Amino acid sequence: MKNNNFVLIMAGGVGSRFWPKSRNAYPKQFLDILGIGKSLLQLTYDRFLKLCPPENIYIVTNSQYSNIIINQLKGISLEQLICEPSRNNTAPCIAYASFKLNKINPDANIVVAPSDHFILHEDIFIDKVKQALAYTAQHDVLVTLGISPTRPDTGYGYIKYAADQDQGLHKVMQFTEKPSLEKAKEFLKTGDYLWNAGIFIWKAGSILKGLKEHAETIYTLFDSGKDLYNTSEEQTFITENYPKSPNISIDYAIMEQADNVYTIPSDFGWSDLGTWASLYESAPRNGDNNVLSARQINIKDTQNSIIHINSDKLAIIRGLDNFIVVDEGNALLIYPKDQEQEIKEVVKEMSITFGEAFI
């Protein structure tokens, strides 16, 4: 029996909040950031093998990472890499991939997922995705998996959903981008808000219809090459036309405008691992509440910190509380954990001062 399930793994980001471990040339999705012998991309790929055959898994990425991906994912061919020639956010790359998959299989039922998320309870996650796929196969809807919030986090977008449900799916009433702490606390109290995990499920036809209706510029651009997808002329068309697409996320372009968006409230031990602090929350800690990744270390009077030291270095650390310490290559980061939201901007300033070699 033909398997109409397809997966698009988004693996083109640079993970700048994980600097200096994550660099432009080798971003966090390709790192064994959890210290378990597999990169985040490998964990994501393995997870989706429970859902469809390897030939139905496509990786959306930047062309500079092709070799890394081919080396890390056994069973992936170059034809399964959808390479964007420029970084124009998620709407254009999802549009490009959707046209391509629609031509391969007009009944394609697609899961779109980031490559760098942590999922503790994988079987529950796969069950929720299957539930969504069963629904999208029969209905013209766009589904986003919603995560039951565990704290009033201001770093995530929120989804307000209706109480009524059909086969476990609830209509989305409203999206709210990263709220203030007061708003986030309010959302938690009401009980009808979820975190937006950026994991989407839809038929190729449904998302193309959504693009045509709400993002006509993007739709028209990629539709103009529909006869070239999966042919020898595809790359020339994409190289020339992709950079012309607007820089916009799929949330802004489609999800916040469409009236056929649904969600499934989920709880499968999710973290987007977007920051050092989120890794600290997900990783095992020692008796002093430290997350340590170091082969040779002498540590005293230090607690509530995350410390990543290059394996060939000897580190002696004393007297830190609530700090991030990361030694990687030609860069060293020592920063208060509760101020880590500043790191991305500081790194940007440093790149202007000292050059791209450090980024």
Side-chain angles (χ1 to χ4, degrees), residues 335-352:
Y335 220 84
K337 187 147 58 70
D338 57 5
Q339 292 167 47
E340 74 156 352
Q341 67 279 1
E342 301 169 358
I343 293 172
K344 188 176 181 179
E345 281 308 310
V346 173
V347 171
K348 202 184 284 182
E349 288 166 23
M350 298 290 278
S351 73
I352 295 163

Side-chain angles (χ1 to χ4, degrees), residues 87-358:
R87 287 193 172 93
N88 290 22
N89 217 316
T90 51
C93 64
I94 287 173
Y96 168 29
S98 301
F99 271 104
K100 193 172 162 64
L101 294 187
N102 188 57
K103 195 174 176 192
I104 292 169
N105 180 349
D107 296 317
N109 207 1
I110 305 169
V111 182
V112 180
S115 58
D116 53 2
H117 287 189
F118 173 70
I119 289 169
L120 186 61
H121 308 297
E122 295 201 346
D123 290 343
I124 297 172
F125 169 75
I126 293 295
D127 284 347
K128 293 290 183 185
V129 172
K130 283 179 177 172
Q131 183 183 349
L133 286 165
Y135 197 83
T136 54
Q138 303 298 324
H139 301 83
D140 176 22
V141 296
L142 309 173
V143 177
T144 177
L145 286 191
I147 307 298
S148 305
T150 54
R151 60 187 182 277
D153 200 304
T154 59
Y156 298 139
Y158 284 72
I159 301 164
K160 184 179 185 181
Y161 65 99
D164 294 346
Q165 55 92 22
D166 181 19
Q167 297 174 47
L169 281 86
H170 300 252
K171 193 167 174 54
V172 170
M173 310 303 288
Q174 184 190 343
F175 285 92
T176 304
E177 277 305 302
K178 302 169 181 175
S180 65
L181 185 59
E182 290 69 31
K183 272 274 180 233
K185 285 177 178 172
E186 216 176 279
F187 291 168
L188 241 70
K189 268 184 200 156
T190 63
D192 55 1
Y193 281 84
L194 301 165
W195 286 335
N196 183 5
I199 300 166
F200 307 111
I201 299 100
W202 46 52
K203 280 203 300 280
S206 296
I207 191 61
L208 291 178
K209 188 175 161 188
L211 284 160
K212 190 174 186 180
E213 199 173 324
H214 303 291
E216 198 178 353
T217 308
I218 296 174
Y219 178 87
T220 304
L221 178 70
F222 289 101
D223 184 58
S224 67
K226 65 174 184 278
D227 295 333
L228 308 177
Y229 296 124
N230 309 310
T231 73
S232 57
E233 295 166 72
E234 176 185 332
Q235 196 55 56
T236 305
F237 170 79
I238 287 298
T239 303
E240 186 185 331
N241 291 281
Y242 192 98
K244 298 174 189 171
S245 62
N247 189 320
I248 187 170
S249 72
I250 198 72
D251 292 277
Y252 282 127
I254 310 291
M255 305 303 281
E256 294 181 16
Q257 299 185 67
D259 60 4
N260 62 335
V261 180
Y262 285 75
T263 190
I264 300 175
S266 310
D267 185 6
F268 38 74
W270 171 87
S271 169
D272 70 343
L273 291 184
T275 61
W276 283 111
S278 62
L279 174 60
Y280 175 83
E281 292 302 325
S282 302
R285 300 193 277 278
N286 69 7
D288 291 320
N289 254 347
N290 295 316
V291 171
L292 298 179
S293 177
R295 197 174 290 171
Q296 301 156 131
I297 190 165
N298 180 297
I299 184 168
K300 287 179 181 171
D301 304 328
T302 293
Q303 53 275 323
N304 309 311
S305 296
I306 181 163
I307 298 168
H308 273 243
I309 303 290
N310 248 340
S311 60
D312 60 343
K313 293 263 179 82
L314 168 65
I316 301 169
I317 295 171
R318 181 168 186 167
L320 293 184
D321 186 5
N322 210 32
F323 263 77
I324 302 163
V325 179
V326 185
D327 174 77
E328 184 66 35
N330 60 1
L332 171 66
L333 172 74
I334 303 172
Y335 220 84
K337 187 147 58 70
D338 57 5
Q339 292 167 47
E340 74 156 352
Q341 67 279 1
E342 301 169 358
I343 293 172
K344 188 176 181 179
E345 281 308 310
V346 173
V347 171
K348 202 184 284 182
E349 288 166 23
M350 298 290 278
S351 73
I352 295 163
T353 310
F354 297 106
E356 293 292 320
F358 295 95

Side-chain angles (χ1 to χ4, degrees), residues 38-50:
K38 283 189 176 182
S39 71
L40 295 174
L41 173 65
Q42 288 170 319
L43 291 170
T44 304
Y45 177 72
D46 289 352
R47 192 177 299 139
F48 284 117
L49 289 174
K50 299 173 183 176

